[in-house]
Amino acid sequence: MKKLEIIIKPEKLEDLKAVLDDNEVNGLNIVNIQGYGNQKGIVKKYRGAEYRVNLLQKVKVETVVSDEQAEILIRKIVSEINTGNYGDGKIFIYEVLDAVRIRTGEGGEQAL
């Protein structure tokens, strides 16, 4: 099993949810976060004065899927979310050793 941690722009959340729903992902967690990547923030102008904003609004979506489903999802997410601009986001992939559904005690992929 793989845990996908997907960090995107907030305006792309509905597009991401559509990709996950189309691929029958059972569960996800969404967290509003702030941060920056390679661009180190952006420069804005307000009343003629420039100022730097280095903590940008992002959304982190976490889900755990089967190994086979992970590869398909990653390709689809990249093709759907990509705008070609800085700040499109990243996907971090982690190995998941096991999962247990508390209600039934089921383990492994059955717990997803």
Side-chain angles (χ1 to χ4, degrees):
M1 293 180 291
K2 303 277 192 233
K3 176 182 179 185
L4 303 181
E5 190 173 277
I6 309 154
I7 299 175
I8 57 171
K9 294 177 179 181
E11 58 267 21
K12 288 295 192 173
L13 179 58
E14 291 304 318
D15 295 339
L16 177 60
K17 284 174 38 185
V19 170
L20 296 175
D21 287 344
D22 290 346
N23 288 277
E24 299 176 358
V25 172
N26 290 333
L28 56 92
N29 295 310
I30 300 172
V31 181
N32 289 312
I33 60 172
Q34 292 182 331
Y36 63 83
N38 291 335
Q39 80 247 30
K40 305 288 190 246
I42 58 175
V43 175
K44 290 190 171 189
K45 281 190 175 190
Y46 180 72
R47 296 187 176 178
E50 283 189 358
Y51 65 98
R52 187 161 192 77
V53 178
N54 66 352
L55 291 177
L56 304 174
Q57 296 297 316
K58 299 287 182 175
V59 174
K60 179 168 66 171
V61 177
E62 299 173 336
T63 188
V64 178
V65 296
S66 68
D67 290 340
E68 301 81 31
Q69 196 177 22
E71 294 301 320
I72 295 166
L73 276 173
I74 292 165
R75 282 195 301 271
K76 288 186 178 182
I77 291 167
V78 169
S79 69
E80 292 291 323
I81 303 301
N82 177 17
T83 66
N85 297 320
Y86 285 108
D88 276 350
K90 291 205 171 51
I91 302 172
F92 297 98
I93 303 135
Y94 303 93
E95 269 308 315
V96 175
L97 299 177
D98 201 1
V100 176
R101 179 175 287 140
I102 294 172
R103 178 177 54 88
T104 63
E106 293 172 293
E109 289 187 18
Q110 289 75 34
L112 300 180

